[in-house]
Amino acid sequence: MWCYRGGSISTEPRINDRIRVPEVRLVGPSGEQVGIVPLAKALELAQEYDLDLVEVAASARPPVCKLMDYGKFKYESAMKAREARKNQAHTVIKEMKLRPKIDPHDYDTKKGHVVRFLKQGDKVKITIMFRGREQSRPELGYRLLQRLASDVEDLGFIESNPKQDGRNMIMVLGPHKKKTEAMAEAREAQAARKAERQGVAHTDDEAPSEDASVEVDDTTEVASAEATEAAADEAPADEANAEA
């Protein structure tokens, strides 16, 4: 009775001696088409070029194989995948909740959060929460949502118009900038701040040399003054000897 043990299925291409076909369609190291050759001949060419024979299209008939440095190929592929993940943008929907009769200070604080989210390239779901008799005044929530959308219109737009959802009223704001653009700007700003900090540190390192120069000048002036005083003290003695 056949039993599957749950082992992982390898997605690695077959290379060199693991290739089990009588002949292959061979592609050279520079991408040139060599043609259909026996497997033994392809392996011989791989040894001659000090490269690997890699099966790149197993479903073709015959399979397509290429001469390449497989270790280098895997490394470059991993680096490309890593870079792609780094630059990949995930759309995130943030949520901000407000009351119809919100305090002006609280409104400014909430609006600041919405501005930050839109600058980051994220969507913002605005929820107006009604309680008690406020449910009979939906126009209060609508006007508040319109006011907020007007205040941030340079950063975002109304993606989903205000609509009633039970005791709440919901509106979705979308950013004008794409997530990738916002991420690129954030990286540039971070690099600029880093360069500025390094510039300040470099200036601080040079500052002691100026202080040392000042100290040397002060020392020179002191020495000069002491020499003048010594000369003045010796002068009366010389005059007394001359009179004698």
Side-chain angles (χ1 to χ4, degrees):
M1 180 179 179
W2 179 83
C3 178
Y4 176 64
R5 296 183 179 276
S8 60
I9 300 175
S10 175
T11 58
E12 296 283 335
R14 294 185 295 183
I15 64 173
N16 300 328
D17 295 337
R18 293 171 56 191
I19 302 173
R20 304 289 185 180
V21 291
E23 59 184 15
V24 298
R25 185 179 297 276
L26 185 63
V27 179
S30 302
E32 68 276 14
Q33 296 289 333
V34 178
I36 299 176
V37 299
L39 177 61
K41 178 63 176 179
L43 291 172
E44 182 181 340
L45 289 173
Q47 291 181 352
E48 182 179 336
Y49 284 105
D50 194 21
L51 295 172
D52 298 302
L53 181 66
V54 183
E55 189 179 58
V56 295
S59 59
R61 291 293 179 267
V64 180
C65 295
K66 184 176 181 181
L67 297 174
M68 67 173 73
D69 185 339
Y70 186 60
K72 181 180 179 181
F73 170 76
K74 285 187 64 177
Y75 174 77
E76 292 177 348
S77 298
M79 293 302 294
K80 289 179 181 179
R82 180 181 178 184
E83 190 66 21
R85 288 194 301 270
K86 181 180 178 181
N87 295 328
Q88 188 176 8
H90 297 281
T91 302
V92 178
I93 299 180
K94 304 289 187 177
E95 184 173 12
M96 188 60 56
K97 296 182 178 181
L98 295 82
R99 294 292 307 281
K101 299 179 181 180
I102 188 171
D103 179 82
H105 176 73
D106 291 340
Y107 174 80
D108 291 337
T109 301
K110 301 274 188 177
K111 183 181 71 174
H113 291 314
V114 173
V115 168
R116 177 165 54 87
F117 295 148
L118 292 174
K119 284 184 176 180
Q120 293 173 352
D122 296 324
K123 296 181 181 181
V124 187
K125 176 183 176 183
I126 312 297
T127 302
I128 304 295
M129 300 180 297
F130 296 95
R131 294 181 182 176
R133 295 182 179 180
E134 292 176 347
Q135 298 181 56
S136 62
R137 302 286 304 278
E139 67 276 6
L140 295 178
Y142 183 82
R143 285 201 296 265
L144 181 59
L145 291 175
Q146 291 296 324
R147 174 189 173 189
L148 180 60
S150 177
D151 289 344
V152 299
E153 62 181 355
D154 57 332
L155 298 172
F157 61 95
I158 299 178
E159 184 175 289
S160 177
N161 289 316
K163 62 181 180 180
Q164 195 77 22
D165 182 16
R167 294 185 178 182
N168 300 328
M169 182 175 288
I170 298 172
M171 178 182 71
V172 178
L173 295 175
H176 290 311
K177 291 182 180 179
K178 294 182 179 180
K179 185 72 171 179
T180 52
E181 295 176 357
M183 291 172 61
E185 289 183 1
R187 284 195 294 268
E188 291 176 1
Q190 184 179 4
R193 289 194 298 268
K194 183 177 180 181
E196 183 178 355
R197 288 196 299 269
Q198 290 177 346
V200 171
H202 183 67
T203 304
D204 293 341
D205 292 340
E206 292 179 351
S209 62
E210 297 177 0
D211 296 340
S213 176
V214 172
E215 291 177 0
V216 171
D217 294 341
D218 293 343
T219 304
T220 304
E221 292 177 1
V222 172
S224 177
E226 292 178 351
T228 302
E229 292 177 359
D233 293 340
E234 292 177 357
D238 294 340
E239 292 176 359
N241 292 332
E243 293 177 356

